[in-house]
Amino acid sequence: MLQAVGVTSVRRAEGRPAVDDISFECLPGQVTALLGARGAGKTALVRLIAGLDAGRGVTYFRGTPLHRVSDPAREVGLVLGEVPGHPARTAGGHLRMLSAAVGVPAARADDLLDTVGLGALRDERLGLLSRGMDRRLALAAALLGDPHTLILDEPCRDLSARDGAWLLGRIREHATAGGTVLCATRDPKEAARFADHVITVDGGRVVADQDVKAFARTRLRPRVSVRTPHAARLSDAVRREARAARRSVEVVAESSSLLSVYGSSCPEIGETAFRHGVLVHRLTDEVGDACTAVAPHPRVPGGEAVAPHESASAGSPARVATTTPSPELARGPVALGPVAPGPNAPESAPRIPPPESGGAPPATAPQAGYPHAPAPQARPATATAPPADPVDALRGADEAPAVRPGRSRSPRRALRYEVRRLLGVRSAPLITAVVVASSLALCVLLARGGAAPRPSVLVAWPGFLPLPPAAFGAGLIGALSFGEEFRFPALTAVRGVSPRRPGLLAAKLAVTAAAAVTLAVLAVVADAQVLRLVHGADLGALRANWADLGIRWLGLCVGCAWAGLLAAAVFRVTAAGVAAVLAVPVLIAPLVEFALLGPAVRSIAGLPGRLRSAAQGRLPESADPWIRGALELVAQPVGAAMVLSLSALICAYLFIALRRRTTW
């Protein structure tokens, strides 16, 4: 069950929130349609309910607020449009990457690909998928954690009739198995076909909360609305004249003074009222949005909220809101053919039958995967929301609690997720190939000139370049590691995961460092082989000092990779990471050399031995070269600038990532 109480978005610049105090509930075993025209607030409401945006109010999922759900990805599945994945990643690779974020085995991803009909396209790239296939993959990503609740934002928009029917059939199967489904749509005919309950929003407010029978009767058929103090007399007169004329006319008493007449016209009703001496206060033709309004859920002491669910059925009083018909919703009559009724659906509720392949389990027996899901049940007249927090109970009746984005967790298997993310596209192999080729070309040119020092020749670092190719390539890989998370926010589909959490940061640091070390070693080994083959150079002099040089070289490459990674994480763009990598030798290193590394700086000669004696002999003498190399790296202008840059970026990252309102 999903229950939204007083959900309100942040007030916009023009002074009116996109979502204003909306309350409703979705029962398990039913499909609830959230209907509204463009700009009505559907998407904003869906994002608030899913915890993606901050606002006010509270949403309960089976009695628990989302920010207290221990594993949101296994409670809520989201389909928010197209798959937000890298277009060069394959469908299977994308889903296996997300399976590591959810914490399910990769076999689950392969099974879901077969379930949604993409088994033969698992090696197809996302950028080449059609819109229908893309939407199927989005549904598979939402079902990875086997969630109880599915929330979809216009899933059938721009789809063909066949793909739309398939998708709605899968949604119906999920509800039949005991799950809860909330689906936003702008097409009233579509809502009447697949939903059990329809909630209409307009201008950020709920204007109608109806079962599908009342919705199809009041929203999809033209009618004559008559307001008269003698509704019973006029109803009898219209029925008698219709029977006498053998015409099909239906008269529905919306309230004690309001009638809806189907199959007639304003002149005919006016003439009937005149002949029988019935006073008429209002006589209008209506189609579409003149519908039942639902009052906000009243707050009661103790933090509970009572949600009324009176539908506009015949013979029951209804609160009527006078609204302007929406041109998208006022589409005139529609012929609804015979279809098979679903569980708990009214007798006249049209429905799309489930797909032929794979029969759905009976509605009375919850399916495996929903062990605690109750069987579908009829919607009660009133429902009471779960108790709110004790602090919320002390708030005023007019003040709703703040909606905070749900707990943003790191992927369950962060290291596996990051490895699959890095190797799932060609960026890293392509960067490696370009770096090795550039390094070989520069190495040959420097060795041919004969003026450059041998270490600079080996790492291909001419004086006119701020960084050697391997260090710059490592920084680019690091920048892409976080830049792609924000350019292609694949983790948005996995509820409860944020790309800025420290757990994911640790995994990215480890994988990026491994990639940087691999790139540095490949470049040096390739350069050494070229020097030996082309110039017959002897590298024996470098072997005697290989520890110091190796520490400096690996530290430079890893530092560049981490600088690019952290800068891209802080500023949410890859270009910022690349700029941070280049700023270290170009801007920060000269400033550090001018301010800190003057003639007053003492030599570090003998410091490794003093450190070993301070450690009471626990450090072996073989560690002296490594300690000396690390200290000399920090003592260099570029090394000191790198340390300062990384320290500042780590502080900025922690300041942003550990805030309570951190979201995608």
Side-chain angles (χ1 to χ4, degrees):
M1 175 184 290
L2 184 156
Q3 292 175 299
V5 181
V7 177
T8 305
S9 63
V10 178
R11 193 172 296 275
R12 296 182 293 189
E14 56 269 25
R16 182 179 179 183
V19 177
D20 189 7
D21 194 20
I22 287 183
S23 301
F24 63 90
E25 70 175 15
C26 306
L27 293 181
Q30 293 188 358
V31 177
T32 302
L34 188 64
L35 178 66
R38 183 190 299 271
K42 302 186 304 298
T43 299
L45 178 58
V46 165
R47 293 183 63 86
L48 283 169
I49 291 173
L52 303 184
D53 292 337
R56 304 191 66 82
V58 63
T59 304
Y60 296 97
F61 292 84
R62 292 193 287 183
T64 304
L66 187 59
H67 65 275
R68 291 186 177 178
V69 176
S70 59
D71 194 352
R74 296 179 182 269
E75 181 65 34
V76 185
L78 299 178
V79 178
L80 300 179
E82 297 180 356
V83 174
H86 196 293
R89 199 180 306 278
T90 63
H94 179 81
L95 214 56
R96 283 190 292 271
M97 180 187 72
L98 292 183
S99 67
V102 177
V104 298
R108 168 72 175 167
D110 297 333
D111 293 342
L112 279 175
L113 282 175
D114 295 332
T115 300
V116 299
L118 297 180
L121 299 177
R122 64 178 72 249
D123 295 327
E124 191 75 17
R125 303 193 181 278
L126 298 185
L128 301 179
L129 293 179
S130 66
R131 188 174 298 274
M133 299 299 102
D134 184 90
R135 209 61 56 87
R136 291 179 182 233
L137 185 61
L139 180 62
L143 295 175
L144 267 176
D146 199 8
H148 178 269
T149 302
L150 271 183
I151 300 178
L152 308 97
D153 185 17
E154 300 193 45
C156 298
R157 186 178 58 185
D158 300 330
L159 292 187
S160 64
R162 179 180 179 182
D163 288 334
W166 179 91
L167 185 59
L168 295 179
R170 297 297 305 178
I171 294 172
R172 168 55 53 189
E173 286 185 4
H174 183 84
T176 303
T180 302
V181 177
L182 175 64
C183 182
T185 180
R186 66 177 66 173
D187 188 354
K189 300 177 183 178
E190 180 181 279
R193 285 197 302 268
F194 78 91
D196 300 301
H197 204 84
V198 181
I199 298 171
T200 307
V201 296
D202 187 22
R205 290 180 174 270
V206 173
V207 297
D209 191 341
Q210 305 166 292
D211 59 36
V212 72
K213 180 179 180 180
F215 170 78
R217 178 177 56 80
T218 59
R219 299 292 304 282
L220 300 180
R221 295 168 58 191
R223 60 191 178 277
V224 177
S225 179
V226 186
R227 185 170 292 279
T228 171
H230 310 291
R233 286 178 52 197
L234 182 59
S235 176
D236 293 339
V238 171
R239 288 192 178 97
R240 287 197 304 269
E241 292 191 0
R243 285 195 298 268
R246 295 185 178 181
R247 292 187 295 110
S248 176
V249 176
E250 180 185 1
V251 182
V252 178
E254 303 289 355
S255 68
S256 59
S257 61
L258 180 64
L259 298 177
S260 292
V261 183
Y262 301 90
S264 187
S265 62
C266 283
E268 293 176 354
I269 301 301
E271 292 172 1
T272 300
F274 178 77
R275 285 193 295 269
H276 292 81
V278 177
L279 176 64
V280 175
H281 290 166
R282 189 187 70 179
L283 186 63
T284 57
D285 285 318
E286 290 183 351
V287 177
D289 251 2
C291 54
T292 305
V294 174
H297 291 213
R299 303 281 298 190
V300 298
E304 297 182 349
V306 178
H309 290 283
E310 295 88 347
S311 62
S313 57
S316 62
R319 289 179 291 274
V320 177
T322 303
T323 58
T324 304
S326 169
E328 291 191 38
L329 298 178
R331 300 188 181 183
V334 57
L336 301 174
V339 290
N344 301 317
E347 295 179 358
S348 62
R351 179 172 324 289
I352 290 180
E356 297 179 0
S357 59
T364 56
Q367 189 185 29
Y370 307 104
H372 304 292
Q377 51 184 322
R379 177 174 293 267
T382 59
T384 303
D389 296 339
V391 177
D392 301 339
L394 300 179
R395 300 176 185 265
D398 297 330
E399 183 180 2
V403 171
R404 299 183 180 89
R407 290 181 182 178
S408 300
R409 292 172 174 78
S410 300
R412 290 300 185 90
R413 301 169 184 174
L415 193 61
R416 184 179 301 178
Y417 164 81
E418 181 58 22
V419 171
R420 288 175 178 170
R421 188 209 60 78
L422 180 66
L423 301 180
V425 294
R426 298 177 180 175
S427 300
L430 183 61
I431 291 173
T432 302
V434 172
V435 163
V436 172
S438 303
S439 182
L440 289 175
L442 290 174
C443 177
V444 171
L445 292 177
L446 290 175
R448 194 173 184 181
R454 189 56 57 87
S456 298
V457 174
L458 186 60
V459 299
W461 192 358
F464 60 87
L465 289 181
L467 288 172
F472 180 76
L476 182 57
I477 290 177
L480 289 173
S481 295
F482 257 119
E484 289 183 359
E485 298 286 5
F486 299 105
R487 186 180 179 187
F488 308 109
L491 289 177
T492 306
V494 184
R495 182 63 193 90
V497 177
S498 170
R500 278 180 169 169
R501 299 305 294 171
L504 182 59
L505 172 64
K508 286 185 176 293
L509 289 176
V511 174
T512 305
V517 169
T518 303
L519 197 61
V521 171
L522 283 177
V524 169
V525 170
D527 292 347
Q529 295 298 325
V530 167
L531 289 177
R532 182 179 294 108
L533 293 176
V534 176
H535 297 282
D538 184 15
L539 303 178
L542 296 178
R543 292 172 186 162
N545 200 25
W546 70 272
D548 292 346
L549 296 177
I551 287 292
R552 295 181 188 181
W553 175 236
L554 296 180
L556 177 64
C557 292
V558 173
C560 288
W562 286 356
L565 184 147
L566 291 170
V570 171
F571 297 102
R572 299 172 63 97
V573 64
T574 303
V578 177
V581 172
L582 294 176
V584 171
V586 174
L587 297 178
I588 304 177
L591 295 177
V592 170
E593 185 176 11
F594 176 78
L596 300 179
L597 301 180
V601 178
R602 297 183 179 180
S603 173
I604 63 171
L607 181 58
R610 293 194 295 271
L611 290 176
R612 189 173 64 254
S613 62
Q616 298 179 358
R618 285 178 294 180
L619 294 176
E621 294 185 4
S622 59
D624 288 357
W626 299 95
I627 298 175
R628 187 182 303 109
L631 293 175
E632 289 180 355
L633 174 64
V634 177
Q636 296 295 325
V638 175
M642 187 70 69
V643 172
L644 291 176
S645 300
L646 290 178
S647 301
L649 289 173
I650 288 176
C651 292
Y653 179 90
L654 294 178
F655 174 76
I656 294 175
L658 297 183
R659 290 186 304 172
R660 297 188 66 183
R661 292 182 180 270
T662 296
T663 182
W664 278 273

